[in-house]
Amino acid sequence: HPYIYKITFATANESSALFIRPFSEKGTLKDLIYKAKPKDPFLKKYCNPKKIQGLELQQIKTYGRQILEVLKFLHEKGFPYGHLHSANVMLDGDTCKLLDLENSLLGLPSFYRSYFSQFRKIN
């Protein structure tokens, strides 16, 4: 799918898995929002709220549509994706591409599991 970020190498064994993707100079959607450089350390990138900026309306429309299209594609294929957040959306030019689709295959809990588990009727 054009909105899924490619994996260049993958391997797994009984206790671990490794996935390698190409480096992106633009970084993630979170990097764009925080005006951060992808190679900077985590604390330097995300712990200075003075640098946070919003997105332009056209960016929100474009990125939102691309994310919804890939989520619809995954849903139609019966593939669960519970790790949607700004750090799992890679920017490739003016295109968003989802990362970490393999998390559900590896049995990792959803990013939002703690929020869902607060509600009794949601399993």
Side-chain angles (χ1 to χ4, degrees), residues 61-80:
K61 288 178 180 180
T62 302
Y63 297 159
R65 179 180 177 114
Q66 292 169 356
I67 291 167
L68 289 173
E69 283 183 22
V70 71
L71 289 175
K72 181 179 183 240
F73 170 80
L74 293 172
H75 181 73
E76 288 171 350
K77 302 294 181 196
F79 192 89

Side-chain angles (χ1 to χ4, degrees), residues 78-94:
F79 192 89
Y81 185 73
H83 296 271
L84 181 61
H85 53 86
S86 60
N88 274 350
V89 178
M90 185 67 73
L91 298 177
D92 186 14
D94 288 331

Side-chain angles (χ1 to χ4, degrees), residues 90-112:
M90 185 67 73
L91 298 177
D92 186 14
D94 288 331
T95 305
C96 283
K97 297 187 178 192
L98 290 189
L99 298 169
D100 294 345
L101 273 69
E102 64 278 356
N103 286 351
S104 61
L105 297 175
L106 296 172
L108 297 173
S110 167
F111 180 77
Y112 299 105

Side-chain angles (χ1 to χ4, degrees), residues 6-109:
K6 67 180 177 177
I7 295 172
T8 57
F9 178 79
T11 186
N13 61 29
E14 303 83 36
S15 61
S16 64
L18 171 69
F19 297 88
I20 297 176
R21 294 180 179 87
F23 179 76
S24 172
E25 292 290 334
K26 278 191 109 174
T28 64
L29 184 57
K30 186 172 186 173
D31 292 331
L32 177 64
I33 292 168
Y34 280 78
K35 296 174 75 174
K37 296 176 184 166
K39 289 186 177 182
D40 286 345
F42 182 87
L43 292 177
K44 183 178 179 187
K45 290 197 302 187
Y46 305 128
C47 294
N48 186 0
K50 295 175 189 169
K51 289 185 175 182
I52 296 174
Q53 71 176 19
L55 300 175
E56 299 290 328
L57 181 59
Q58 187 57 45
Q59 288 176 306
I60 294 169
K61 288 178 180 180
T62 302
Y63 297 159
R65 179 180 177 114
Q66 292 169 356
I67 291 167
L68 289 173
E69 283 183 22
V70 71
L71 289 175
K72 181 179 183 240
F73 170 80
L74 293 172
H75 181 73
E76 288 171 350
K77 302 294 181 196
F79 192 89
Y81 185 73
H83 296 271
L84 181 61
H85 53 86
S86 60
N88 274 350
V89 178
M90 185 67 73
L91 298 177
D92 186 14
D94 288 331
T95 305
C96 283
K97 297 187 178 192
L98 290 189
L99 298 169
D100 294 345
L101 273 69
E102 64 278 356
N103 286 351
S104 61
L105 297 175
L106 296 172
L108 297 173

